[in-house]
Amino acid sequence: MRLAALAGLHVASVTMMQATNKDVLLIKRFDRIHATKGWQCKAMVSGLTLLSLDEMMARYASYEDLAEIIRYRFRSAFSTLQELFSRLVFNILCGNTDDHARNYAAFWDGEMLSLTPAYDICPQVCMGNEAMLISGDNRMSQLTVCLDAAAHFRLSREEARKIIEHQIETIETNWELVCDEANLSKTDRALFWKRQFLNPFALQGFAESENKHAPRDAVQDR
């Protein structure tokens, strides 16, 4: 969550503390508002509901379809699409295989929808598949798939590449800092680094794709 925030994603605020000799993660609630008579729940709807799916049909949820809904039913649609793409990329870069439609939600103000902060980012051992479809029937958790799907998010291939490269740089630059903040042991850091975070499967083919899709003369100039 901290790395996602540093990478520029809109995420729920988190902090670590200890209670009775145990680590505790505190997540600031974003689904409450303070009113004159106390706290009230904000109107929210899950991504699964937005896609008109139930739990039995969750495997059909896709970023492509969610992006289509954002274009027509969300405020600030363009910036929201960029945020959605950024979350997709970060999920892949951090090995979040628990990526599904119920981990996305939107506020409803009576007229339009707006994306909630990101939550429940859970790195796990990367098994090579993304839990949520990206484009068509492709759910492979690779950056090249994100590049190919950029148009669904109203991004050019170059704009998508810049988002990806920024996130990679942010993770590499801030990795030790965030690990120190979370008091991760050397063993845990080794378990996460280049296995969940920046795992080889996610990066496969990304560097080469720049030349593959560059104009012929641009490649020759290099």
Side-chain angles (χ1 to χ4, degrees), residues 45 50 73-75 106-109 111-115:
V45 58
L50 286 173
R73 300 180 61 187
F74 276 63
R75 297 191 185 278
F107 296 124
W108 170 249
D109 64 6
E111 295 182 1
M112 298 287 283
L113 295 158
S114 58
L115 199 63

Side-chain angles (χ1 to χ4, degrees), residues 63-166:
Y63 279 98
E64 180 180 356
D65 292 339
L66 187 55
E68 181 75 12
I69 292 171
I70 287 172
R71 285 197 290 272
Y72 294 103
R73 300 180 61 187
F74 276 63
R75 297 191 185 278
S76 305
F78 179 77
S79 60
T80 302
L81 286 170
Q82 181 172 316
E83 172 73 14
L84 182 66
F85 181 81
S86 298
R87 295 186 191 185
L88 163 60
V89 169
F90 191 81
N91 281 332
I92 290 175
L93 289 176
C94 79
N96 178 20
T97 58
D98 188 39
D99 181 31
H100 54 80
R102 291 197 67 179
N103 278 346
Y104 289 94
F107 296 124
W108 170 249
D109 64 6
E111 295 182 1
M112 298 287 283
L113 295 158
S114 58
L115 199 63
T116 71
Y119 56 91
D120 202 10
I121 299 174
C122 185
Q124 301 176 54
V125 176
C126 183
M127 301 303 292
N129 286 335
E130 185 74 21
M132 187 161 152
L133 291 166
I134 297 173
S135 178
D137 60 355
N138 196 336
R139 62 173 74 244
M140 301 301 287
S141 52
Q142 293 184 306
L143 299 177
T144 53
V145 178
C146 296
L147 287 176
D148 291 341
H152 297 312
F153 303 87
R154 292 297 187 262
L155 294 169
S156 68
R157 194 176 184 89
E158 182 58 30
E159 289 170 333
R161 176 173 287 278
K162 288 181 179 179
I163 290 173
I164 293 170
E165 290 174 343
H166 170 68

